[in-house]
Amino acid sequence: MRVTETSTYRDLHLPSLIIGGSFAAVAICLSLFSILQHLRFYTNPAEQKWIVSVLFMVPVYATESIISLSNSKFSLPCDILRNCYEAFALYSFGSYLVACLGGERRVVEYLENESKKPLLEEGANESKKKKKKSSFWKFLCDPYVLGRELFVIEKFGLVQYMILKTFCAFLTFLLELLGVYGDGEFKWYYGYPYIVVVLNFSQMWALFCLVQFYNVTHERLKEIKPLAKFISFKAIVFATWWQGFGIALLCYYGILPKEGRFQNALQDFLICIEMAIAAVAHLFVFPAEPYHYIPISECGKITAETSKTEVKLDEGGLVETTEIQVEASGTSIKESVQDIVIDGGQHVVKDVVLTINQAMGPVEKGVTKIQDTIHQKLLDSDGKEETEVTEEVTVETSVPPKE
């Protein structure tokens, strides 16, 4: 059986390497072209620095997959790097949506206004019922009533996945060095099943937070066609994860060859093909053309566009409007990259620190409560002992002396 599995891997390795390499090359070329277009016309840094981070996920996935496919010895390090960047890409996508809404302050204001609408539209009794619900229940069923809390929960959900994914990636590397990781082995004495459970829960929670945030804000995001962006991004991040998990299950139950090299090679081969498809989709989903124009206050070549818009009047009618835009002359790619690395890095560090503090808050309260409880019990026990000693002294003093 072992010989058959090895021969299967050997027979398929070279053809899969050629085909996968071709798809990976297409994916890398198309993605780099799209990234360079955004860097060349870097007119909206608040949005484009996160777009570039999301687009860069395709060449990262494709490069690491073809390296791992060519040499199985690099499979684990490449998988670790891919997982780390996957977590950062999810955070970048959430930050991109916030930037499209005008920044964190405007998002909070919008969510606060949305949370007041149900209270005005519904009766007092219904409002009282909703007030009795916990924040967690509101987040699950009625996220629009949370207001500011929804944004905090959404950010916490994305950052916790980024932290856990990175931590588990390095934990995987450590367990592999110790020989107790067991990639694809669902056995209690290996670390693989436990890491899968933790990451699965963390990933599902992050996705659910993103979906709830999208449900509340999708009306304001109509201009950027958020559904197409959301689907294309989710297909890369979550489909590849479940694809790897499914391949591991099929190999574990013997449906596919159980050899570790075959399992990893199949995952890498499929990712190379999927990244080429994703690169083509990103050309249409994250185009650079909207950023070719800058505000009229900036210098540049003025162009005029004429569009016709229907106005809802009693008589009906058609109003012709003229939009004046300024064509951007282009920006320095070096400056664009510096802004992405420096400003984006500061933003990530700030959110990570904030999330850690938010997570440590309940832990500190719990520890303080436990300490107070133990201290109170010690005081009560000391009080009882003092009472017993006092009673004994009283009894002894009350006994009359013998004659």
Side-chain angles (χ1 to χ4, degrees):
M1 182 66 179
R2 179 73 176 177
V3 176
T4 305
E5 292 176 355
T6 304
S7 62
T8 301
Y9 173 81
R10 189 186 304 111
D11 295 339
L12 296 177
H13 182 253
L14 182 58
S16 63
L17 183 61
I18 295 173
I19 298 173
S22 301
F23 278 98
V26 171
I28 293 171
C29 291
L30 291 178
S31 295
L32 290 180
F33 171 77
S34 182
I35 290 171
L36 289 174
Q37 287 296 306
H38 279 281
L39 295 178
R40 184 71 179 84
F41 297 95
Y42 196 67
T43 57
N44 191 341
E47 296 179 12
Q48 287 179 282
K49 64 186 172 188
W50 303 120
I51 293 178
V52 171
S53 299
V54 172
L55 293 177
F56 202 69
M57 182 170 56
V58 170
V60 168
Y61 270 48
T63 302
E64 292 173 350
S65 295
I66 198 62
I67 292 175
S68 176
L69 185 60
S70 61
N71 192 335
S72 60
K73 294 180 180 179
F74 299 108
S75 178
L76 183 61
C78 288
D79 188 55
I80 291 174
L81 293 175
R82 185 167 59 212
N83 289 337
C84 292
Y85 197 85
E86 173 191 314
F88 173 69
L90 180 62
Y91 168 83
S92 299
F93 185 76
S95 300
Y96 166 68
L97 296 181
V98 173
C100 291
L101 291 168
E104 295 185 359
R105 182 178 298 179
R106 290 191 178 181
V107 170
V108 171
E109 292 176 356
Y110 172 73
L111 294 177
E112 287 292 332
N113 293 332
E114 287 293 310
S115 66
K116 296 175 183 178
K117 289 181 180 179
L119 300 178
L120 297 175
E121 295 174 357
E122 299 175 2
N125 294 332
E126 189 68 21
S127 299
K128 291 180 180 179
K129 290 180 182 178
K130 290 197 172 186
K131 287 180 180 178
K132 293 179 181 179
K133 295 180 182 178
S134 63
S135 296
F136 180 74
W137 181 257
K138 289 178 182 178
F139 178 69
L140 294 179
C141 301
D142 302 313
Y144 55 87
V145 303
L146 286 175
R148 182 189 298 268
E149 293 181 27
L150 175 62
F151 179 66
V152 175
I153 295 174
E154 183 264 349
K155 179 178 287 189
F156 183 85
L158 296 181
V159 178
Q160 63 83 24
Y161 177 64
M162 182 171 61
I163 295 173
L164 275 178
K165 189 78 171 180
T166 305
F167 173 76
C168 288
F170 287 100
L171 180 61
T172 298
F173 182 72
L174 178 61
L175 294 178
E176 183 67 20
L177 291 178
L178 298 175
V180 292
Y181 177 60
D183 188 16
E185 297 290 338
F186 294 89
K187 298 177 181 179
W188 66 269
Y189 49 83
Y190 283 130
Y192 175 78
Y194 304 104
I195 292 178
V196 166
V197 170
V198 172
L199 289 181
N200 187 31
F201 176 79
S202 176
Q203 189 182 71
M204 288 296 98
W205 177 249
L207 174 61
F208 186 72
C209 290
L210 198 59
V211 169
Q212 293 294 72
F213 182 75
Y214 167 79
N215 288 336
V216 177
T217 59
H218 70 278
E219 290 293 334
R220 289 285 298 271
L221 293 170
K222 278 184 177 180
E223 295 181 0
I224 66 168
K225 299 178 181 179
L227 184 59
K229 291 178 171 59
F230 188 80
I231 292 175
S232 65
F233 176 79
K234 187 177 72 171
I236 297 177
V237 175
F238 297 98
T240 53
W241 161 258
W242 284 106
Q243 176 179 276
F245 181 71
I247 291 174
L249 283 177
L250 294 176
C251 292
Y252 178 76
Y253 287 107
I255 300 175
L256 293 176
K258 290 185 178 181
E259 187 184 7
R261 291 190 302 173
F262 179 85
Q263 175 182 329
N264 295 329
L266 179 58
Q267 170 75 338
D268 294 328
F269 174 73
L270 293 177
I271 288 178
C272 288
I273 298 175
E274 292 160 355
M275 289 306 104
I277 300 173
V280 174
H282 283 173
L283 291 175
F284 301 94
V285 176
F286 294 101
E289 284 76 12
Y291 302 100
H292 286 189
Y293 299 96
I294 58 177
I296 197 169
S297 59
E298 302 290 339
C299 61
K301 179 183 175 183
I302 298 179
T303 61
E305 293 184 358
T306 304
S307 61
K308 294 182 179 180
T309 307
E310 293 184 0
V311 179
K312 294 181 179 180
L313 301 174
D314 294 337
E315 302 86 5
L318 192 65
V319 178
E320 183 174 297
T321 61
T322 302
E323 295 181 358
I324 299 178
Q325 296 177 318
V326 178
E327 187 176 353
S329 58
T331 54
S332 170
I333 293 179
K334 181 180 179 181
E335 294 177 358
S336 303
V337 173
Q338 287 178 347
D339 180 77
I340 293 172
V341 174
I342 297 175
D343 190 60
Q346 291 176 349
H347 198 281
V348 172
V349 171
K350 175 185 174 183
D351 283 345
V352 169
V353 172
L354 179 63
T355 301
I356 292 175
N357 291 334
Q358 289 175 341
M360 292 301 296
V363 175
E364 292 177 355
K365 290 182 180 179
V367 172
T368 303
K369 188 174 182 180
I370 293 173
Q371 291 177 343
D372 292 341
T373 304
I374 295 174
H375 182 67
Q376 186 63 37
K377 287 183 178 181
L378 291 175
L379 291 177
D380 293 341
S381 61
D382 292 340
K384 288 181 180 179
E385 291 179 358
E386 291 178 359
T387 304
E388 291 176 358
V389 171
T390 304
E391 290 178 354
E392 290 178 0
V393 172
T394 304
V395 171
E396 290 177 358
T397 54
S398 60
V399 175
K402 293 181 181 180
E403 296 178 359

